[in-house]
Amino acid sequence: MDAKLGMRLKKVEELVAFVRRSSVVKIGDAAFTTMLNLLSDMFFSMNLAHYDSNFSREFKDHLRITLETAGSRNIADYFPIFRFVDVQGLRRRGRFHLSRLICIFEEIIQRRIESKETKNDFLDALINLSQETHSTLTINGIAHLFLDLFITGTDTVSTMVEWAMTELLRNPDKLKKAQGELRAFAGNKLIIEESDISKLPYIQSVVKETLRLHPPSPFMVPHKAEAEFEIDMEEKYLFWIPKDAQILVNVWAIGRDPKVWEDPDLFIPERFLKNEFDLNGQDFRFFPFGSGRRSCPGMVLGDKMVHLLLTSLLLTFDWKLENGIKPQDIDMNDKFGMSMEKAIPLRAIPIPIKS
């Protein structure tokens, strides 16, 4: 992880440079392009997209619709008789957009093989492995592996950064407090480094509060019961869970439970200054990345990048809403799916404060 520190900082600098030359920024799209290029540079030694190109937008659309169809209510889940009939067209729609993503990765892999160029990156390692005798790894298999990595590493981080900026712009006092902590600590620094994050308790609290209100995967990855069991609900009644039942953990509801959180629907980062919650899933009141062996493997990278992207936007720029929109009028609706995006993307005007 530390070996790629320079690369992560370089991508943050590219984001800041893009924001400087922009009159209005779609926060989610800018963060998505940054993460897309970070992962593609790590795996392929190249940037997949430019901030001013359409590729990032198209890639995100394919990804969003794939996740949206995967998280949609399927009538076949309630009436198994329809399992072999695509009544709602979900399989057809999802398959189309999934195939577009797979094609992108297969083309990258094929070009590397045909060029015979060696870059000693992750892609080279997988190609060499696939060409070994008796290897079962195929180009299509490598493409699916990259699809999994990009799905978990791009959309979740960009969604979190967008929600954090939305909540701060909606709460100007919290924005002022976050920027005050950042600027007092940074001095003449243009970018906060990863080693500085632990010295910024309020920024960490902003991220945790955003994760509480807007978890990147509201229902987490589905689990399955290995054996039947019962859940005692405060000694009032029992839930019986049969073996092999699919279990969805609703971390969105847990994060807004009034029995657990005071004023659960309000954005109050200060609540995390008083409590020692971490992201490792040890406390079942707050585990946005899961817990145990099924916790998110990209948690460390995701946590680092959310903090780096958010601090770079807050340190280098002041922000205001376009078209005279008032903070209290920001649309807070979301889209239901495997990840929870804003229904209406956040657009904000950057005001540079450092040259």
Side-chain angles (χ1 to χ4, degrees):
M1 184 68 69
D2 290 339
K4 299 297 183 181
L5 172 59
M7 181 183 294
R8 293 194 290 273
L9 291 177
K10 179 183 176 184
K11 299 308 173 189
V12 172
E13 290 171 354
E14 290 174 0
L15 170 64
V16 170
F18 164 72
V19 175
R20 276 193 192 283
R21 63 176 185 267
S22 302
S23 56
V24 178
V25 178
K26 292 181 73 172
I27 302 294
D29 285 358
F32 184 90
T33 299
T34 303
M35 289 305 301
L36 186 61
N37 285 340
L38 172 63
L39 295 182
S40 64
D41 206 351
M42 288 172 61
F43 300 148
F44 311 141
S45 303
M46 59 178 280
N47 279 351
L48 263 181
H50 300 287
Y51 288 99
D52 300 316
S53 72
N54 291 326
F55 178 85
S56 179
R57 180 71 258 174
E58 293 170 359
F59 190 100
K60 186 177 182 180
D61 284 343
H62 288 312
L63 186 61
R64 176 183 55 79
I65 295 172
T66 299
L67 293 174
E68 197 175 272
T69 53
S72 297
R73 294 184 180 89
N74 191 337
I75 192 172
D77 293 335
Y78 306 97
F79 302 97
I81 193 173
F82 294 113
R83 186 165 296 170
F84 302 103
V85 182
D86 189 17
V87 176
Q88 299 159 270
L90 293 176
R91 285 204 300 268
R92 182 176 66 255
R93 188 168 182 243
R95 192 181 299 119
F96 171 79
H97 292 281
L98 187 64
S99 66
R100 299 284 76 78
L101 292 170
I102 292 295
C103 283
I104 291 171
F105 294 123
E106 286 183 338
E107 289 174 7
I108 292 171
I109 298 165
Q110 196 62 50
R111 283 201 301 268
R112 178 68 65 85
I113 293 173
E114 292 173 356
S115 70
K116 297 181 179 179
E117 186 178 5
T118 300
K119 295 189 177 181
N120 296 318
D121 53 17
F122 188 43
L123 177 55
D124 277 347
L126 290 176
I127 290 174
N128 292 336
L129 183 61
S130 70
Q131 294 174 343
E132 290 181 359
T133 307
H134 306 305
S135 174
T136 58
L137 188 61
T138 64
I139 291 178
N140 185 259
I142 296 173
H144 276 83
L145 172 61
F146 283 130
L147 176 63
D148 289 343
L149 294 172
F150 276 79
I151 284 177
T152 57
T154 54
D155 191 59
T156 51
V157 171
S158 61
T159 298
M160 283 306 306
V161 172
E162 183 173 30
W163 276 119
M165 287 293 294
T166 300
E167 290 288 4
L168 288 172
L169 285 169
R170 191 167 177 249
N171 297 271
D173 57 325
K174 313 297 184 187
L175 174 60
K176 184 177 180 180
K177 190 171 181 178
Q179 288 182 315
E181 179 186 68
L182 269 174
R183 293 168 186 177
F185 174 82
N188 294 323
K189 282 187 177 183
L190 296 177
I191 288 179
I192 295 295
E193 298 181 9
E194 289 177 9
S195 58
D196 297 327
I197 292 172
S198 62
K199 303 165 189 173
L200 299 166
Y202 194 73
I203 291 295
Q204 292 181 77
S205 297
V206 166
V207 172
K208 288 178 181 178
E209 180 71 341
T210 304
L211 285 166
R212 181 186 70 83
L213 282 169
H214 311 283
S217 298
F219 281 104
M220 316 212 91
V221 175
H223 292 62
K224 186 169 78 169
E226 293 183 346
E228 71 173 56
F229 63 96
E230 294 180 339
I231 299 177
D232 188 343
M233 300 297 291
E234 300 178 356
E235 301 182 351
K236 294 180 180 178
Y237 49 88
L238 296 176
F239 273 124
W240 176 71
I241 309 297
K243 181 183 178 181
D244 295 329
Q246 179 174 269
I247 300 171
L248 299 176
V249 181
N250 191 342
V251 291
W252 184 92
I254 293 171
R256 294 171 182 254
D257 188 345
K259 297 177 183 177
V260 176
W261 304 96
E262 185 178 351
D263 297 320
D265 294 325
L266 298 183
F267 182 74
I268 309 174
E270 289 78 4
R271 74 174 86 235
F272 283 99
L273 294 174
K274 307 170 186 176
N275 298 291
E276 293 298 323
F277 287 103
D278 58 29
L279 303 178
N280 296 321
Q282 302 303 306
D283 190 314
F284 291 146
R285 292 173 294 174
F286 181 72
F287 55 112
F289 293 102
S291 180
R293 290 178 296 175
R294 294 294 304 277
S295 60
C296 176
M299 177 182 68
V300 175
L301 177 62
D303 182 47
K304 287 179 183 291
M305 289 308 299
V306 169
H307 282 88
L308 285 177
L309 296 178
L310 182 61
T311 54
S312 70
L313 295 175
L314 296 178
L315 176 64
T316 317
F317 306 94
D318 284 326
W319 294 88
K320 67 178 182 178
L321 298 167
E322 66 172 350
N323 300 326
I325 296 175
K326 296 179 180 179
Q328 63 270 25
D329 294 332
I330 296 177
D331 187 283
M332 298 299 289
N333 291 319
D334 49 45
K335 292 180 181 178
F336 180 80
M338 293 291 286
S339 64
M340 191 165 282
E341 289 187 337
K342 279 189 90 280
I344 298 178
L346 175 65
R347 295 170 58 93
I349 300 172
I351 305 170
I353 62 170
K354 291 187 178 182
S355 57

